[in-house]
Amino acid sequence: MFGQITKKLKDAKRIAFVTGAGISQESGIPTFRGKDGLWRNYDVMKLATINAFYDNPKLVWEWYNERRKNIFSAEPNLGHKAIAELEKFVEVVVLTQNIDGLHQKAGSTDVLELHGSIVKIKCSVCDFKSEILTEFTDMPPLCKCGNILRPDVVWFGESLPKDIWQEAMIHASKCDVMVVVGTSLVVSPANTLPIYAKQNNAIIIEINPDETIMSSDMDFSIRSTSVMALPEFVSIFK
Ligand code: APR
């Protein structure tokens, strides 16, 4: 599968993965833009913007509660596990757009959650942040300060947490190889990470059954699912 570049890959010391919804698709979590994608069946403007949240916090919370149930019943697949195993052989960082926590569940120890996490909450006004420990009885749940609590995720129109983004850019500019897995690369700023990596001479590889808008910028593309391709990618370093 990786035939022509296997030799070059063997010299890599630092590998950064940029992952998206596609890597969890084989764990039973739907993607956003594929044929059964969430944004084909739900209106993003009513569920994933701050205005939608202020218009109808109960609806947004109910949607996230449903997603949390689905995510909690999911297990990491062979793709997540392969990335975790790769830590035995080289330095690995995972820059994920996913909020499902499956990379950590698979054993990856260096994961930056660019878009937040399904298990985290924060106050829409004060600095309070926490993890969800039990399901809320009141909907929408309120912070001790009296304002509405919200999922600690990055919605459309919002910026990524500054510290996380800066760290992600440092990893992108330091890695020898960047593997872009299961993302359509249409969402900014995560889709600029391969550009930073390329500017710093990293080899850029895409693993995706379909072409993306950045496929032509890749050094190498594998048209396969992450469960098929990642164990083979990792076997190169064993
Ligand atoms: N293995 C690898 N890739 C896959 C698989 C699979 N089994 N199944 C689907 N894919 C690919 C699709 O071809 C597609 O290119 O995964 C990609 C999923 O793209 P999106 O649904 O757009 O998901 P993503 O890129 O993660 O979306 C980015 O958009 O709505 C926001 O915040 C949300 O983090 C998300 C962001």
Side-chain angles (χ1 to χ4, degrees):
M1 207 182 257
F2 294 88
Q4 316 156 20
I5 50 160
T6 302
K7 206 165 164 276
K8 276 193 191 169
L9 289 175
K10 279 189 172 167
D11 296 331
K13 303 266 180 297
R14 277 189 290 254
I15 303 188
F17 288 85
V18 173
T19 66
I23 195 169
S24 296
Q25 187 264 338
E26 287 159 288
S27 291
I29 300 176
T31 64
F32 293 96
R33 298 174 182 80
K35 73 171 160 46
D36 297 318
L38 290 173
W39 297 149
R40 300 251 175 154
N41 301 310
Y42 296 94
D43 183 350
V44 56
M45 298 315 284
K46 291 198 172 125
L47 294 166
T49 68
I50 190 67
N51 287 341
F53 183 67
Y54 286 137
D55 281 352
N56 195 344
K58 190 167 175 278
L59 176 80
V60 174
W61 262 112
E62 282 166 356
W63 192 67
Y64 275 90
N65 288 346
E66 270 311 302
R67 285 186 66 197
R68 199 164 54 250
K69 268 192 224 153
N70 174 233
I71 285 171
F72 280 178
S73 66
E75 290 299 328
N77 60 50
L78 292 177
H80 300 104
K81 288 179 187 167
I83 294 177
E85 192 192 5
L86 188 60
E87 288 186 12
K88 289 187 202 153
F89 313 106
V90 284
E91 209 178 301
V92 175
V93 63
V94 182
L95 313 173
T96 189
Q97 297 165 86
N98 298 345
I99 61 172
D100 58 32
L102 289 183
H103 285 295
Q104 295 93 321
K105 209 169 171 185
S108 284
T109 59
D110 197 358
V111 181
L112 280 185
E113 294 179 308
L114 304 174
H115 293 171
S117 164
I118 193 79
V119 294
K120 292 187 179 156
I121 52 170
K122 63 181 182 184
C123 179
S124 52
V125 175
C126 78
D127 290 337
F128 176 78
K129 282 184 181 231
S130 177
E131 291 213 345
I132 297 181
L133 300 173
T134 51
E135 289 302 323
F136 297 111
T137 42
D138 295 334
M139 210 32 79
L142 296 182
C143 179
K144 281 190 186 136
C145 75
N147 290 294
I148 304 173
L149 290 168
R150 56 166 280 181
D152 192 358
V153 297
V154 177
W155 282 324
F156 285 97
E158 296 185 317
S159 302
L160 272 56
K162 216 173 176 181
D163 51 338
I164 291 187
W165 180 243
Q166 273 170 355
E167 208 183 321
M169 285 201 302
I170 291 170
H171 285 298
S173 56
K174 278 198 328 201
C175 63
D176 308 309
V177 174
M178 178 173 278
V179 189
V180 183
V181 192
T183 171
S184 57
L185 290 171
V186 296
V187 172
S188 176
N191 63 357
T192 60
L193 291 168
I195 300 168
Y196 286 115
K198 195 161 187 166
Q199 280 168 354
N200 289 282
N201 301 317
I203 301 172
I204 318 289
I205 299 172
E206 178 174 69
I207 296 177
N208 196 314
D210 296 323
E211 277 200 12
T212 66
I213 50 167
M214 286 176 69
S215 291
S216 59
D217 298 311
M218 299 289 157
D219 293 307
F220 202 74
S221 292
I222 303 286
R223 293 279 155 254
S224 177
T225 74
S226 42
V227 160
M228 296 294 286
L230 283 168
E232 196 168 329
F233 176 78
V234 171
S235 70
I236 296 170
F237 301 88
K238 287 185 179 171

